[in-house]
Amino acid sequence: MKTIIEPFRVKVVEPIKMTTREEREQYLKQAFYNLFLLHAENVIIDLLTDSGTAAMSSKQWSAIMQGDESYAGSPSFYRFEESVRDIFGFRNVMPTHQGRAAERILFSVMCRPGSVVPNNTHFDTTRANVEYVKAEAVDLPIPEFYQPATWHPFKGNMDTDALRELIARVGPERIPLVMLTVTNNSGGGQPVSMANIREVKAICTEYGIPLYLDACRFAENAYFIKLREEGYADKSVKEIAREMFSYADGCTMSAKKDGLVNIGGFLCTNNDLLAQQEKDLLILTEGFPTYGGLAGRDLEAIAVGLQEVLHEDYLNYRFTSINYLGRHIADQGVPIIEPPGGHAIYIDAAAMLPHIPALQFPGQALAIELYREAGIRSCEIGSVMYAHTDPETGVEKPAAMELVRLAIPHRVYTQSHIDYVIEAILQVAKRRESLRGYRIEKQAPFLRHFTARFAPMK
Ligand SMILES: *Cc1c(COP(=O)(O)O)cnc(C)c1O
């Protein structure tokens, strides 16, 4: 069968407000050409992020009704803990309101000023939380990571030679933990292989350094291993996920991704001493350790979502649909990060719009045009987000890549929505030479992409 069908039926619908191009032009002006400032109801297909945007299943909604809101010792916590332990296997499980809260607690307890934390690639909140405790966040991806057009089955891998060099250079005593982000979100949702996890673990063991996983998209990573790594084709995704976690000493998790919920996260560790300190901090800022900033019903929804995301019919559908989107535009000459990622397609806007200089934001220009053309909201991941201004010279240096991310929310859009997105991208691609860059008229001193005001170049 060639037709991709959703392995679920629709029980509740959310109407989409359709808009005209004239209306969208108006909304763009009102939002100062910043897609974060649009009212979401004026977006037809929202591919800004897969975080917290999942549709919940009938099982999750019924679990929500079982939510027990006791302050301490809620049965909802124990169901949540059991579901997490079943897959992740760690001894201590602490709920948090989302992934970044788990990060803040982990790094506050484990790092000191001058510590160094290696990661395949830090996600932006992870990096910010490492730097907040005055530690240094070091990215060690393999070289292929920076080559958008190069195909590699596990482009999210960590460069293990670079890890050894870093340890030799700064000394193992300055490295309180090594992290691996699965999948590697910041550059294409690319997977990390089991062999790489094992190799990183072996290096960590040699130097007595704990290994943590940033586990946000653990199910997608496990499915990539099943599809691409020798020896895993006959294993279930759950077995593969368990093996991934068996090499780690703990993890941080945003349940807003592969937990299939709208809010929540958790922190895990096998180290009881650390867990005690982490629980003390949890009580200070999140809540009692059996709810950690979440309602009992949220814990119930996560308990179910973590199991549902491992359904292989679902993962097969998700990967097939995202791959279909990627192939259809790439085969028509739209440059994307190859191969397509587990949760998103990333268009290489620098290659698609070579006439727009990096500091006139080709990614922003493309994202705006997709909204104007078809009401599709995507996310610039380029110089708007990551350009760096030298504090001494004041010279602005562009980001390493100019990308536009089309992130696919879990179970929200159907295959005909995907066809509509393909059509819109190809229409914009046809008149790519006519696109113009943008300049920033007003910006905040950090995380400027959320609030900056833009104006089109003449
Ligand atoms: C989303 C995300 C986080 C942060 O989680 P939040 O729930 O948004 O705080 C951390 N790491 C990765 C890889 C993520 O994708």
Side-chain angles (χ1 to χ4, degrees), residues 145-160:
F145 182 80
Y146 293 112
Q147 304 156 10
T150 305
W151 199 94
H152 187 293
F154 292 103
K155 223 176 186 174
N157 281 354
M158 177 177 273
D159 183 337
T160 48

Side-chain angles (χ1 to χ4, degrees), residues 17-34:
K17 184 178 120 186
M18 302 306 278
T19 52
T20 63
R21 177 184 281 267
E22 290 68 40
E23 286 166 340
R24 292 193 291 272
E25 194 60 64
Q26 205 50 43
Y27 299 141
L28 275 174
K29 284 204 184 102
Q30 286 162 5
F32 306 100
Y33 299 94
N34 184 335

